[in-house]
Amino acid sequence: MNPAEKRVAGIVLVGGTGSRLFPATRVVNKHLLPVYDKPAIAFSMDVMQECGVDTLVLVCNAADREIYQSIPVWLGYSDIEIRTVVQEEPNGIAGAIACAREYLEPEGYERIVVALGDTLYVYSSTWAGDILKKAEDTGCSAAVAVIEHPDPKDFGVVESTANGTVSRVREKVDTRRSGQVCTGLYSFDGSMWKRLESIAPSGRGELEITSLLESYIDDGGLAAVAVPEEAGWFDVGTPDRLVDAAVARRDLLV
């Protein structure tokens, strides 16, 4: 039984070009690169298991669709029904989430857990069900996993109230102060699909996840879920961060 005691589906975003990891990612999708003993995608799969997801949509590139469809064969997770959909244009995170609509909305899932495939919890994902539980406990329609970061300028910065609800989300703020940042894990209720319809492209021409979160702040309530330090959160989008995550994983196992 998942922590929300409701039907839960999952979406993991595993597309993109991985340009900051070139040339390795010219032939291998970055979410398939090893983080010491297993590919990056496995950590997102672990999160989905902890959240009780039974149906998962992987939003990917056309070239990688076959390998992601075959995850149960070479990686396991046979308890999760895996579907794949191709994001035809690079129009942002919210645009990628919307690609999964045709697979999930008709089935009436009450909660959808969304994970960015290159942000990992390499020590433990046993806490991940909190992304559902916190929303239920606070009566919020959505939740975002956050962690304190000393240099938040590369991430979405979250401002929270004393009771754990989010009052503001700002994307990649140029600041020298530490702050709470989005770690790439979210849960949304079924109203997410309609909210995605109203999002307009940002100045850089993308449909931003920040816009979706702001819509919940305005009228549905957005809860902040603190990621424990012992989860071992890493963004593996650059060579240095990928190495750091692999070293942390090795140190955990040896």
Side-chain angles (χ1 to χ4, degrees):
M1 182 72 68
N2 65 65
E5 299 186 359
K6 293 182 178 179
R7 296 183 66 233
V8 180
I11 301 171
V12 180
L13 309 185
V14 290
T17 62
S19 59
R20 293 181 296 175
L21 289 163
F22 279 175
T25 47
R26 288 190 182 277
V27 293
V28 178
N29 183 267
K30 69 177 176 179
H31 307 94
L32 299 172
L33 293 175
V35 180
Y36 190 57
D37 65 322
K38 60 184 184 180
I41 181 63
F43 296 92
S44 295
M45 298 297 295
D46 290 345
V47 166
M48 294 297 147
Q49 279 189 325
E50 290 291 339
C51 290
V53 165
D54 53 33
T55 301
L56 173 65
V57 176
L58 300 176
V59 183
C60 62
N61 301 325
D64 306 309
R65 190 171 194 174
E66 184 176 351
I67 191 67
Y68 284 124
Q69 287 175 327
S70 66
I71 279 179
V73 175
W74 61 272
L75 191 58
Y77 303 98
S78 58
D79 56 323
I80 300 176
E81 179 187 353
I82 297 175
R83 304 171 182 178
T84 58
V85 62
V86 172
Q87 184 179 14
E88 299 291 351
E89 57 177 319
N91 61 342
I93 293 175
I97 295 170
C99 291
R101 183 173 189 170
E102 63 180 297
Y103 290 92
L104 298 180
E105 187 183 31
E107 298 185 10
Y109 285 97
E110 297 164 288
R111 284 282 170 186
I112 302 98
V113 178
V114 177
L116 308 187
D118 57 359
T119 60
L120 315 179
Y121 311 99
V122 302
Y123 294 159
S124 173
S125 57
T126 57
W127 62 275
D130 291 349
I131 200 72
L132 297 167
K133 187 175 185 299
K134 184 65 176 289
E136 295 294 308
D137 291 347
T138 59
C140 289
S141 301
V144 54
V146 302
I147 199 167
E148 191 74 17
H149 197 284
D151 187 18
K153 67 178 182 298
D154 290 338
F155 308 98
V157 177
V158 176
E159 297 176 9
S160 304
T161 63
N163 66 356
T165 59
V166 178
S167 58
R168 188 181 183 191
V169 180
R170 296 180 293 161
E171 190 67 29
K172 298 184 178 179
V173 179
D174 186 10
T175 178
R176 292 179 174 84
R177 296 185 299 172
S178 64
Q180 285 188 329
V181 301
C182 299
T183 65
L185 181 64
Y186 313 87
S187 76
F188 302 104
D189 69 354
S191 73
M192 176 186 76
W193 305 116
K194 288 293 184 183
R195 294 172 188 273
L196 288 167
E197 291 178 359
S198 64
I199 294 177
S202 66
R204 57 180 184 170
E206 295 189 355
L207 302 177
E208 306 285 357
I209 184 69
T210 305
S211 299
L212 178 59
L213 297 177
E214 287 174 344
S215 79
Y216 278 99
I217 293 171
D218 290 342
D219 62 16
L222 178 64
V225 177
V227 177
E229 288 290 339
E230 55 267 27
W233 172 66
F234 288 88
D235 176 326
V236 296
T238 69
D240 285 342
R241 292 172 182 171
L242 180 62
V243 169
D244 289 344
V247 170
R249 176 70 179 172
R250 181 198 63 189
D251 291 346
L252 175 68
L253 298 177
V254 299

